Amino acid sequence: MSQPALTKRTSWQMIVTLLLFGFMYFPILVLAFYSFNASRYSSRWEGFSLRWYESLLNDSRILSSLQDSLFVAFCAVGVSAILGTMMAVGLAKYRFFGKGVYRGVSYLPLIIPDIAIAVATLVFLATLGVRLNIWTIVAAHVVFCLAYIAVVVSSRLANLNPHLEEAALDLGATPLQAFIKVLLPELMPAIVSGCLLAFVLSMDDLLIASFTAGGGANTLPMEIFSRVRTGVKPDINALSVVLILFSGALAFLAEYLRYRSDRRQFRQ
């Protein structure tokens, strides 16, 4: 291929890439810009102000819903971290009947639409006669958080030296000691990375929480949705910017931990 043709092709690829990035991130920039608007109406600029960020600190409904979201996320991620790690290790180390089917079923929440999970969970809870409350939201969030953490830990297990635990056992360690002192430290970066990812997904969930929330339970996405139904106000813009920065920081930290873990594994 000639140099002019290659240059022309590269320029078109660059233009398409820039258009795609603009389509994805320009609305976020507009949102951030209008979060500093002094006007009560998002469509009219009246000057720079931090009043909407200050109002978030005095909004009792926002603070209460944020507390509920944090409670759900921490509980769901804590349970999922333990169960997801055990599931990943069990699928990687042991052979049993129906292992392939179990693996496929375990990862189904990754591809099933959220609305399907929400409806199925609601029907299941109603069949059992369980009263909806904040704990039913936690249980529903464990379903998809578990799958995400298990996938991240499984990818780390696939790159580990399979003889590490065998060496520890040969040196006199019990299976439990080998797991805690040898395997778990190697898996910890992946576990933390998966937990951060699951935490962001739990904080961001609206559908599943809406279907499984009872009286008195109101997560932050549910509160935001109830407000934007009557129009987007500048305080919602400010809250959205804070959530974007928070989620971006957690995603960056998760990717950094994964990158460090991969580099250390490569050096070994």
Side-chain angles (χ1 to χ4, degrees), residues 219-238:
T219 63
L220 191 56
M222 293 168 60
E223 177 65 24
I224 294 174
F225 180 72
S226 66
R227 295 192 182 194
V228 300
R229 294 174 65 182
T230 58
V232 180
K233 300 297 189 298
D235 57 342
I236 298 299
N237 293 341

Side-chain angles (χ1 to χ4, degrees), residues 22-39 41-45 47-50 52-53 56 204 224 228 231-247:
F23 179 77
M24 289 189 295
Y25 295 111
F26 184 72
I28 297 178
L29 295 178
V30 173
L31 173 74
F33 177 78
Y34 277 103
S35 70
F36 299 102
N37 187 8
S39 173
Y41 304 97
S42 298
S43 59
R44 185 174 61 193
W45 178 262
F48 180 86
S49 176
L50 294 174
W52 305 115
Y53 288 91
L56 291 178
D204 183 60
I224 294 174
V228 300
V232 180
K233 300 297 189 298
D235 57 342
I236 298 299
N237 293 341
L239 178 59
S240 300
V241 171
V242 173
L243 291 176
I244 290 171
L245 293 176
F246 176 73
S247 301

Side-chain angles (χ1 to χ4, degrees), residues 62-121:
I62 289 292
L63 295 178
S64 177
S65 58
L66 174 61
Q67 182 179 358
D68 285 350
S69 286
L70 290 175
F71 177 82
V72 170
F74 276 114
C75 291
V77 171
V79 174
S80 300
I82 298 174
L83 297 181
T85 302
M86 294 173 61
M87 183 174 74
V89 173
L91 290 173
K93 291 174 57 66
Y94 302 103
R95 296 181 179 180
F96 50 88
F97 178 76
K99 178 178 178 179
V101 176
Y102 181 81
R103 185 193 301 272
V105 172
S106 301
Y107 297 152
L108 273 180
L110 300 177
I111 59 176
I112 294 179
D114 287 348
I115 185 65
I117 296 178
V119 173
T121 305

Side-chain angles (χ1 to χ4, degrees), residues 8-10 13 18 40 44 50 71 82 109-110 117 128 152 171 182-184 190 213 215 217 224 228 262:
K8 184 177 181 180
R9 179 180 177 184
T10 303
Q13 291 175 341
L18 292 176
R40 294 183 59 87
R44 185 174 61 193
L50 294 174
F71 177 82
I82 298 174
L110 300 177
I117 296 178
L128 295 180
V152 177
L171 293 174
V182 177
L183 186 59
L184 191 59
I224 294 174
V228 300
D262 290 344

Side-chain angles (χ1 to χ4, degrees), residues 110-137:
L110 300 177
I111 59 176
I112 294 179
D114 287 348
I115 185 65
I117 296 178
V119 173
T121 305
L122 178 61
V123 171
F124 176 73
L125 294 174
T127 302
L128 295 180
V130 177
R131 184 178 179 181
L132 299 182
N133 51 48
I134 195 169
W135 289 106
T136 55
I137 306 178

